[in-house]
Amino acid sequence: MISTQVVRPAPVYSSPPHTIGKLKVEGGGRMALVATSEPTRSPWSLNDLSSELLALIFEQLREINTRSLASARLLSKRFNAIITPIRYEHLTLTEQIIAPEAATYFPEALGRIHTLTRHVEIRSDLDPQGIQRLLSRIRRLLTVRWKYKGAHFRSGEFWIPSDVLNPQQANVNNTKIYIEDLPLRDFTADQQDLYLRTIPSDLLASLKLASPTPPLTNRLESLKQLILRSRHLETFHYQDRGQGTRFTFSEGEELPAFKELTLRSYDWNHTAADVEAHWDFSLIASLKLIDVPIFEFLTSVPFGDLVDLHTLHCEDFSAHLPDRRREATYGLYALIKQIKALTTLKITCHTQLFPMDGLLRHSKTLQVLKFCDYVGFSEDDRRCPTIWIDDLVALAQGLVNLHTLEMDMDVALCDPSLFLRALCQFPRLHTLTLHVQTVLRAFEVVHPEVDRDYEAAMRTFGTLVRGKAGSPWRCITINVGGWRRHMVRRLGEAWRAQNERGVYAERCFVLERNPTGGMTVREEMGGER
């Protein structure tokens, strides 16, 4: 059931403007800066830039807003000549593009697609004949990103790459295939080679699975065989639920050397001998272990193979095993100290057992950090360990390139004003997620006109906005009481009674900068399961 609690209109925080003028577009694509509070400066023009630099700018614009890129083509003939190849380089197929009548209605656009398109994104529920007709005419197709739609995997309803790709053309162009949301099934014995028959393994560069329903319990033989044959596979995202399952290997089976590996709900129990025989971490740059037994992983994989990581994300799931999370924290610290230069680090651990020099080891490179404790805020009677103020100040001074941060703040274990003041001192920090406990109690009588968690969040927002140094805030999220988008709420009888009255311990408030430069607040609404 979806929470329907309505939050009163939130205040809008204003921040000082960071611009002193307006941009004016003139004929020929010239842009002039007209000062509003300072003397007029000399006009400048995008046409003064080289074509190479303009191409880089327009490629970035394509990632931000494709409509703006299309509009920019109209500014000048030079811009049109530069933008046209950029606009058609990446193409997402739609029913209109692959329809037979497209050649009649959009002949010029199709001609540019055939000549300029290099990268195509395809949904599996589109018409296969239309897809095949278009792909066969693209002269130099470099990548195909294939997105499965729906939970079924069968030719005739959800089409497969081998139905539409020309193998000779793909080999000539060295086409790479990126598979997303692959439905994962336990196939019967006569279907064990189904993945191999439907996905060209020699072209496969990336494989990302959909979450299975129900969770898998049997061997993953068909999936494993596909991966073993895919020697050029660089990215693999495995996804299960709960405790999950795992691969079982035979002698001589060795997985390819992944550059990016994500394991979600993978029941890792491989020994060091298993890893040496069947896994290859020699090229790994991004490693995400979510709901995985972290201690078992750390004791089986040589740290020397992980020193070139730029991304590390570890969330432990070991409820079915002896509690080794203390040892896992020590292991994470030892690993992070050995890694050369992390840009993204997300870990949940015993934060009080993790020395800060492990984080400051990456002071020059770290941009994204999540540093949370196992305890969290899902239970009222437990205090969540919170980083010391002095340590937080040291991080603010040392992590000069950090722009995104997530951490815990238990107001019973720190001075909130000093804690928030320290958060404001990160020079480039613009995105913050702060986990806090609800101010309510299970047996408290809550007045219908008073929303104490909302009011506490508004005070926190105000303190952070007023005190921010360096880069202004873009987004602040205050997660109350262990809120999740899909969650099981507190189970006690008293809290169930509160929930029936529309009072919840789990809330999520988000403050965001809007296009006009002001800050507005909204509440995220979660669903129960």
Side-chain angles (χ1 to χ4, degrees):
M1 136 172 131
I2 304 298
S3 172
T4 58
Q5 184 174 2
V6 178
V7 176
R8 298 185 302 277
V12 177
Y13 296 98
S14 297
S15 57
H18 294 272
T19 58
I20 58 172
K22 299 180 180 179
L23 286 176
K24 179 176 68 176
V25 180
E26 300 178 339
R30 296 179 63 85
M31 289 189 179
L33 179 65
V34 180
T36 58
S37 59
E38 292 186 356
T40 303
R41 299 175 181 176
S42 300
W44 59 274
S45 173
L46 286 176
N47 276 326
D48 295 334
L49 302 177
S50 66
S51 297
E52 292 78 9
L53 185 55
L54 284 173
L56 292 175
I57 293 173
F58 291 137
E59 286 174 0
Q60 291 293 321
L61 182 59
R62 178 184 62 196
E63 301 301 321
I64 298 171
N65 192 316
T66 55
R67 289 188 176 182
S68 296
L69 182 68
S71 299
R73 291 176 53 234
L74 307 177
L75 292 175
S76 71
K77 292 182 179 180
R78 183 186 179 212
F79 284 10
N80 180 59
I82 296 172
I83 291 174
T84 297
I86 296 172
R87 185 187 180 196
Y88 284 93
E89 182 180 16
H90 293 259
L91 177 68
T92 298
L93 296 193
T94 63
E95 290 84 351
Q96 293 77 15
I97 294 175
I98 64 174
E101 56 271 19
T104 301
Y105 294 111
F106 317 112
E108 184 177 349
L110 282 180
R112 289 173 177 167
I113 290 172
H114 299 158
T115 304
L116 301 174
T117 296
R118 301 288 180 266
H119 311 280
V120 175
E121 183 176 303
I122 306 171
R123 299 197 324 264
S124 65
D125 57 348
L126 293 175
D127 174 51
Q129 294 181 347
I131 297 174
Q132 186 179 47
R133 179 172 54 251
L134 182 63
L135 295 186
S136 65
R137 296 175 183 175
I138 295 178
R139 298 178 184 175
R140 191 160 178 255
L141 183 60
L142 299 181
T143 68
V144 172
R145 189 172 300 276
W146 190 275
K147 291 189 174 184
Y148 281 94
K149 291 291 183 181
H152 300 288
F153 184 81
R154 55 180 182 271
S155 182
E157 181 176 347
F158 295 97
W159 298 94
I160 51 184
S162 59
D163 288 330
V164 298
L165 282 176
N166 184 319
Q168 293 181 343
Q169 183 186 24
N171 288 328
V172 169
N173 292 323
N174 194 25
T175 304
K176 294 182 178 180
I177 299 178
Y178 297 75
I179 302 291
E180 296 186 8
D181 296 328
L182 177 69
L184 192 54
R185 293 291 179 269
D186 290 324
F187 297 114
T188 57
D190 60 340
Q191 294 178 311
Q192 285 296 327
D193 63 343
L194 179 60
Y195 286 131
L196 290 174
R197 287 188 282 110
T198 57
I199 299 175
S201 59
D202 56 329
L203 306 179
L204 189 60
S206 175
L207 179 61
K208 300 179 180 181
L209 308 184
S211 181
T213 305
L216 293 174
T217 56
N218 299 324
R219 296 178 63 186
L220 308 176
E221 190 63 28
S222 183
L223 175 65
K224 185 186 71 173
Q225 291 302 323
L226 172 63
I227 297 174
L228 291 172
R229 299 279 188 91
S230 303
R231 303 315 301 175
H232 303 292
L233 186 62
E234 298 179 349
T235 299
F236 177 51
H237 289 194
Y238 174 89
Q239 189 163 214
D240 204 345
R241 298 185 179 186
Q243 178 179 332
T245 187
R246 57 187 174 268
F247 292 124
T248 56
F249 296 99
S250 301
E251 184 177 354
E253 294 181 335
E254 183 177 358
L255 299 174
F258 303 121
K259 293 182 180 179
E260 178 181 327
L261 176 63
T262 296
L263 301 177
R264 182 183 293 272
S265 295
Y266 182 93
D267 189 19
W268 185 282
N269 75 337
H270 305 297
T271 64
D274 293 334
V275 172
E276 182 178 4
H278 307 298
W279 293 81
D280 187 347
F281 289 96
S282 61
L283 300 179
I284 194 73
S286 174
L287 177 63
K288 299 179 182 180
L289 306 172
I290 304 169
D291 293 339
V292 170
I294 299 300
F295 175 77
E296 283 67 23
F297 180 89
L298 294 175
T299 54
S300 61
V301 178
F303 286 2
D305 290 348
L306 306 177
V307 295
D308 291 321
L309 286 174
H310 60 68
T311 297
L312 177 63
H313 184 179
C314 294
E315 306 283 350
D316 182 79
F317 182 92
S318 55
H320 57 298
L321 298 169
D323 187 0
R324 307 299 295 272
R325 293 185 297 182
R326 175 181 292 267
E327 293 87 344
T329 297
Y330 295 142
L332 282 172
Y333 171 73
L335 170 61
I336 292 167
K337 286 280 286 184
Q338 292 189 35
I339 295 174
K340 296 176 183 177
L342 283 169
T343 58
T344 298
L345 174 61
K346 298 182 178 183
I347 58 172
T348 299
C349 62
H350 285 301
T351 54
Q352 292 188 328
L353 301 179
F354 192 101
M356 289 300 100
D357 66 319
L359 304 180
L360 293 171
R361 165 78 173 80
H362 306 277
S363 59
K364 295 181 180 180
T365 58
L366 199 60
Q367 300 176 26
V368 177
L369 172 63
K370 175 186 177 183
F371 187 65
C372 293
D373 198 272
Y374 289 125
V375 174
F377 294 97
S378 59
E379 299 180 25
D380 304 353
D381 56 351
R382 298 188 67 185
R383 302 265 65 91
C384 180
T386 300
I387 186 172
W388 299 111
I389 300 295
D390 290 345
D391 288 339
L392 185 57
V393 170
L395 292 181
Q397 295 173 346
L399 302 181
V400 294
N401 292 307
L402 192 75
H403 60 70
T404 301
L405 175 64
E406 181 175 354
M407 60 173 38
D408 304 316
M409 183 184 74
D410 192 327
V411 297
L413 299 179
C414 70
D415 183 327
S417 61
L418 294 179
F419 194 95
L420 297 177
R421 185 185 306 171
L423 287 174
C424 291
Q425 300 311 306
F426 285 85
R428 289 184 171 84
L429 185 65
H430 57 64
T431 301
L432 172 67
T433 299
L434 201 57
H435 295 266
V436 300
Q437 186 57 278
T438 177
V439 300
L440 303 177
R441 293 295 175 262
F443 294 97
E444 178 178 344
V445 178
V446 180
H447 192 281
E449 299 299 322
V450 177
D451 190 340
R452 295 177 58 205
D453 278 322
Y454 170 84
E455 293 172 352
M458 295 307 107
R459 290 192 296 271
T460 300
F461 286 143
T463 301
L464 290 170
V465 170
R466 289 189 297 269
K468 185 66 172 78
S471 299
W473 294 113
R474 296 182 188 175
C475 181
I476 304 173
T477 300
I478 298 180
N479 185 305
V480 182
W483 178 92
R484 294 186 179 185
R485 191 166 299 279
H486 302 285
M487 60 188 157
V488 177
R489 295 193 183 274
R490 282 161 167 74
L491 299 176
E493 182 178 348
W495 272 116
R496 288 200 299 269
Q498 294 278 33
N499 294 167
E500 292 175 359
R501 292 189 288 268
V503 177
Y504 302 99
E506 307 87 0
R507 308 278 291 278
C508 184
F509 303 98
V510 181
L511 178 143
E512 293 176 308
R513 182 172 298 278
N514 58 43
T516 63
M519 306 294 287
T520 56
V521 176
R522 60 182 172 83
E523 179 174 5
E524 289 278 4
M525 310 306 287
E528 299 179 19
R529 62 181 181 183

